[in-house]
Amino acid sequence: MKQSRTVLLLVIAGLIALFFSFDLQHYLTLDSLKSQQAAIADYRQNHPLPAIALYAALYIAVTALSLPGAAILTLAGGAVFGLLPGTLIVSFASSIGATLAFLAARFLFRDWVKSRFSARLQAIDDGVHREGAFYLFTLRLVPLFPFFMINLAMGLTPIKTRTFYWVSQIGMLAGTVVYVNAGTQLAKLDSLSGILSPALLGSFALLGVFPLGAKKMLEFIQKRKVYTRWAKPARFDNNLVVIGAGAGGLVSAYIAAAVKAKVTLIEKHKMGGDCLNTGCVPSKALIRSAKLLSHIKRAKEFGIAKAEADFDFATVMERVQQVIKAVEPHDSIERYTELGVEVIQGTAKIVSPWEIEVTTAEGSKTITSRAIVIAAGARPFVPPIPGIERISYLTSDTVWNLREKPNRLLVLGGGPIGCELTQTFNRLGSQVTQVEMAPRIMVREDPEVSDIVQARFQAEGVDVRVNHTAKEFIVENGENILLAEYQGQMVRIAFDHVLIAIGRAANVQGYGVDELGITLSPRNTIAANAFQQTNYPNIFAVGDVAGPYQFTHTAAHQAWYAAVNALFGQFKKFRTDYSVIPWSTFTDPEVARVGLNEQDAQAQGVAYEVSTYGIDDLDRAIADGEAHGFVKVLTRPGKDKILGVTIVGEHAGDLIAEFVLAMNHGIGLNKILGTIHIYPTLAEANKYAAGVWKRNHAPKALLEWVGRYHAWRRNG
């Protein structure tokens, strides 16, 4: 492919060089055309078909190579062939030539541009997918934009070739007619500038803007059309109503209250949502207890001859609840009431785009609001595996009710939740078998990350079964058994308890989504646009219920955009920025990432370089007995611009923050390397990773000369 690109580029460059070397542009001037008009007309009279073929071929070649002279050739079409035939020939020849230039630009440069500017191109590509034909039509109708630039620029976008062709042919038709018609009066023309008057240019500009404006108007009408069956209240009780008091809902309500809007927050279960009650907080509390036990088992590594720990599983689980209670005030009704939020504990149902029916212990009432934010969260997805109804399974929501330690725990799923709880329960003394249908656990991360985590699991006694597909649950003689397919054979895995951890499903039922006809995405989440709006422009969705990420911090991130757009969108709307999204899996070792990893970069065709620093060489990690893992940074080839970072090791979730800040503010590795990091700390690993990049890009030739200089100095 690279060789083909080189050959094509050389051919195009050679043809352009020949054109200018032989001064062929001299023949594509108005004076030359007028002087040769009679001879050309005679040839056309005597050889009509060859004349058409030669003219069309010349026009296609000039346009495809982006050579000057297309305007003169268009005039020639009118002068030689007349208005209607000339228009027909020029229309097809110009469109074919433009498409060839478009295809050449795409073949030669699209991958190169995409590999270097993928993040910036994404927004352009999204816009082209939505409105590319309209933008191209506008550019074609307005003669202010050089057509050869349009041909080349559009080749770098994902617009379809057939769309480019037919839009170009229609869009260029008006200008073609004007020039061809001028060509029929060639003898009266003194210059090209006389063809397009200011009034005609203005008309073209208005004509070009019209289709895009009309499309925007249609979109506006279409958005308002969803409201036709609803009666809009004359006044509203609230500026904003938020459904769900998880991370997304709390932040939405907080922002609204902070800008003095009247906001009501409705929660049917517990304040704080999944993160506080069944997710992030309890899991990290349990992980901490389990990690202490793992350190005690490693006592000899730290020079302690013997250390033991007696613990009661129920007491450990009670500590988890104590941690939740300690964090609860941060998300409490009292706190948000003090902030200015009206908090209602009850069930919400959206009954119109501006009305929410709220049911509490005291009864039901309907409140009105200009805007609504849906932050209804998600729940563990339970797959329809045959026989699952015969067993009492656990999920990440219900596992916290355990007070008796599972002896044999089967964990279905090798994602973040499954991996965290697999290692935690194993460290608490359960015999854990982890089943994952993919070839490796943690498939979103690079293979070496999965290998490190899986190796640690197995070293600690976890039975990791990858490439195993759960087929059926059975009960034999009172024993629970999973039948799983592995390499074409059926495998039996006995267990006492099973934890289902294979993903989460958005909560999209029970509060009016179906009744209103709020659009769902193919992933069965609420479909939200770049501004977090649903198909009802005044109803927004954030967090797990909307996706695409299911993290507490991204829910809070989306909530800012939803609240601001809901309250001030009539003045300016803000697109949610997903360019720098970090996350961490709190296994031991921890895994943290921001931006691209290698498998993502390869899938997206993004060119990159890798700089890896092994934490096993870090002084503090050695002193702490945690000398394992790495910092891997992906950068633009030859540049220090960070594309993504993966960290595996102790406190990776904390260490990644420096790179998140750097990426968010365009700070490169050179500046990280030039920043003082305290010695001895784990954070030095980030600086040393930047040092790896610097060494790989050292100016070798210059350093050789510097070495000679120092040698000369020693001799003098």
Side-chain angles (χ1 to χ4, degrees):
M1 182 65 76
K2 187 176 180 181
Q3 185 176 5
S4 300
R5 288 196 180 101
T6 303
V7 171
L8 178 60
L9 189 61
L10 290 174
V11 169
I12 292 174
L15 291 173
I16 294 174
L18 288 173
F19 177 82
F20 287 105
S21 298
F22 288 96
D23 197 25
L24 297 181
Q25 70 269 29
H26 170 74
Y27 296 100
L28 297 178
T29 63
L30 184 59
D31 290 339
S32 177
L33 175 60
K34 292 172 73 172
S35 66
Q36 298 294 326
Q37 182 179 4
I40 296 172
D42 286 342
Y43 182 82
R44 184 258 178 189
Q45 187 70 31
N46 296 322
H47 306 88
L49 292 179
I52 293 173
L54 287 171
Y55 172 77
L58 178 61
Y59 202 116
I60 291 171
V62 168
T63 310
L65 295 172
S66 302
L67 298 172
I72 297 299
L73 285 174
T74 306
L75 293 175
V80 177
F81 301 104
L83 179 59
L84 291 179
T87 299
L88 188 65
I89 298 168
V90 170
S91 178
F92 279 95
S94 61
S95 300
I96 293 171
T99 304
L100 290 175
F102 162 87
L103 290 172
R106 172 167 292 179
F107 179 70
L108 291 172
F109 303 116
R110 169 68 179 171
D111 290 344
W112 181 84
V113 171
K114 184 178 178 181
S115 68
R116 283 156 179 78
F117 307 102
S118 59
R120 297 179 187 175
L121 274 180
Q122 188 58 51
I124 297 173
D125 288 352
D126 291 343
V128 169
H129 280 303
R130 293 192 308 269
E131 300 174 333
F134 286 90
Y135 282 119
L136 177 58
F137 191 58
T138 299
L139 293 172
R140 289 302 194 196
L141 275 171
V142 181
L144 299 175
F145 302 101
F147 282 0
F148 80 93
M149 291 294 293
I150 297 171
N151 300 336
L152 300 179
M154 295 305 291
L156 304 179
T157 73
I159 191 171
K160 293 180 179 178
T161 303
R162 62 176 179 270
T163 302
F164 176 84
Y165 177 87
W166 70 259
V167 172
S168 295
Q169 186 156 26
I170 295 173
M172 293 190 293
L173 188 58
T176 299
V177 171
V178 171
Y179 271 83
V180 171
N181 182 62
T184 62
Q185 307 296 320
L186 184 62
K188 300 178 182 179
L189 281 178
D190 295 322
S191 69
L192 292 178
S193 61
I195 298 173
L196 296 177
S197 66
L200 188 58
L201 281 173
S203 299
F204 277 156
L206 289 173
L207 190 60
V209 172
F210 174 76
L212 196 58
K215 183 176 186 292
K216 295 294 185 184
M217 181 60 71
L218 285 173
E219 287 179 353
F220 177 80
I221 294 171
Q222 196 68 27
K223 285 179 180 178
R224 298 299 156 190
K225 191 177 180 181
V226 297
Y227 295 118
T228 53
R229 61 193 179 106
W230 311 104
K232 188 175 183 179
R235 63 180 307 279
F236 300 91
D237 303 320
N238 294 268
N239 299 103
L240 187 66
V241 165
V242 181
I243 300 174
L250 291 172
V251 173
S252 297
Y254 174 82
I255 291 170
V259 296
K260 305 305 179 183
K262 177 68 170 66
V263 55
T264 297
L265 174 64
I266 306 168
E267 172 56 57
K268 71 176 183 179
H269 188 45
K270 293 182 179 181
M271 295 287 287
D274 294 334
C275 181
L276 172 61
N277 298 289
T278 61
C280 317
V281 173
S283 64
K284 301 315 162 280
L286 191 62
I287 286 171
R288 183 65 187 90
S289 296
K291 189 166 188 175
L292 175 61
L293 291 174
S294 75
H295 282 169
I296 292 172
K297 288 182 179 179
R298 295 170 54 198
K300 288 185 179 180
E301 294 180 28
F302 300 98
I304 299 171
K306 185 178 181 181
E308 295 179 352
D310 291 329
F311 73 95
D312 175 63
F313 181 81
T315 304
V316 171
M317 296 302 284
E318 283 301 325
R319 175 188 175 269
V320 171
Q321 297 304 313
Q322 292 169 11
V323 171
I324 293 172
K325 285 182 171 59
V327 177
E328 271 180 356
H330 303 164
D331 300 340
S332 66
I333 294 175
E334 292 76 17
R335 181 184 180 220
Y336 276 81
T337 301
E338 289 178 4
L339 291 170
V341 178
E342 180 188 12
V343 182
I344 300 177
Q345 285 194 295
T347 302
K349 182 174 183 180
I350 306 171
V351 294
S352 88
W354 305 279
E355 297 174 305
I356 305 93
E357 183 180 271
V358 184
T359 303
T360 65
E362 289 74 34
S364 297
K365 67 175 181 177
T366 299
I367 60 176
T368 59
S369 179
R370 275 197 170 275
I372 300 169
V373 171
I374 299 173
R379 65 192 182 282
F381 173 69
V382 179
I385 300 172
I388 197 169
E389 70 282 352
R390 303 190 195 109
I391 60 173
S392 178
Y393 57 83
L394 300 167
T395 69
S396 58
D397 280 359
T398 61
V399 70
W400 312 110
N401 298 326
L402 285 176
R403 291 299 179 270
E404 183 177 336
K405 181 182 68 179
N407 290 323
R408 296 178 301 174
L409 178 65
L410 171 65
V411 178
L412 280 189
I417 296 174
C419 285
E420 288 181 1
L421 293 178
T422 286
Q423 187 177 46
T424 297
F425 274 92
N426 180 72
R427 287 177 164 184
L428 289 169
S430 296
Q431 180 184 333
V432 182
T433 302
Q434 184 180 26
V435 171
E436 169 58 52
M437 66 184 296
R440 55 190 177 89
I441 59 174
M442 300 180 69
V443 292
R444 293 179 65 182
E445 308 301 337
D446 284 335
E448 67 268 32
V449 176
S450 302
D451 292 343
I452 289 173
V453 175
Q454 182 171 327
R456 174 64 72 88
F457 282 11
Q458 291 170 331
E460 292 184 359
V462 176
D463 183 5
V464 181
R465 306 283 189 98
V466 294
N467 288 312
H468 281 63
T469 303
K471 290 296 184 179
E472 186 179 3
F473 288 104
I474 61 174
V475 179
E476 286 186 355
N477 300 321
E479 184 176 53
N480 298 322
I481 297 173
L482 170 68
L483 300 180
E485 185 179 353
Y486 174 67
Q487 296 182 346
Q489 302 294 319
M490 204 60 71
V491 177
R492 297 164 64 93
I493 302 173
F495 63 91
D496 298 317
H497 289 81
V498 59
L499 172 65
I500 308 295
I502 60 173
R504 296 177 65 79
N507 294 322
V508 295
Q509 295 179 334
Y511 54 93
V513 170
D514 289 338
E515 291 83 347
L516 252 71
I518 294 175
T519 303
L520 300 182
S521 73
R523 295 174 289 109
N524 207 43
T525 58
I526 291 180
N529 65 14
F531 308 105
Q532 302 302 138
Q533 292 172 300
T534 67
N535 55 311
Y536 287 88
N538 73 309
I539 300 179
F540 298 75
V542 301
D544 291 0
V545 76
Y549 300 96
Q550 291 189 329
F551 305 124
T552 297
H553 47 280
T554 52
H557 181 67
Q558 290 173 330
W560 183 92
Y561 291 92
V564 171
N565 289 334
L567 297 171
F568 303 107
Q570 66 272 29
F571 302 112
K572 179 175 174 57
K573 291 192 295 185
F574 297 87
R575 293 178 181 271
T576 308
D577 181 9
Y578 294 115
S579 59
V580 183
I581 301 293
W583 64 81
S584 182
T585 302
F586 295 92
T587 51
D588 186 4
E590 286 183 16
V591 177
R593 177 147 77 92
V594 61
L596 297 175
N597 61 7
E598 286 197 75
Q599 65 181 15
D600 287 348
Q602 291 166 8
Q604 297 175 27
V606 177
Y608 65 91
E609 292 178 349
V610 177
S611 301
T612 303
Y613 172 75
I615 297 177
D616 58 322
D617 193 47
L618 185 67
D619 292 1
R620 180 56 185 269
I622 294 170
D624 286 351
E626 302 293 349
H628 53 79
F630 58 80
V631 178
K632 180 166 69 171
V633 185
L634 271 61
T635 53
R636 297 269 184 222
K639 305 290 183 182
D640 73 336
K641 180 179 174 60
I642 303 169
L643 297 175
V645 181
T646 298
I647 302 179
V648 179
E650 188 78 353
H651 294 294
D654 299 319
L655 298 180
I656 200 76
E658 183 172 15
F659 289 110
V660 177
L661 178 71
M663 291 182 67
N664 204 41
H665 295 281
I667 299 171
L669 290 180
N670 275 313
K671 290 188 177 179
I672 291 177
L673 182 60
T675 301
I676 297 175
H677 291 64
I678 296 172
Y679 178 88
T681 61
L682 295 175
E684 286 186 293
N686 295 344
K687 180 176 181 175
Y688 293 148
V692 171
W693 179 88
K694 193 69 172 180
R695 285 195 300 275
N696 292 339
H697 294 83
K700 294 180 180 178
L702 176 62
L703 289 175
E704 288 180 7
W705 280 101
V706 171
R708 293 176 186 176
Y709 166 74
H710 288 306
W712 172 76
R713 292 274 291 173
R714 290 194 301 273
N715 292 329

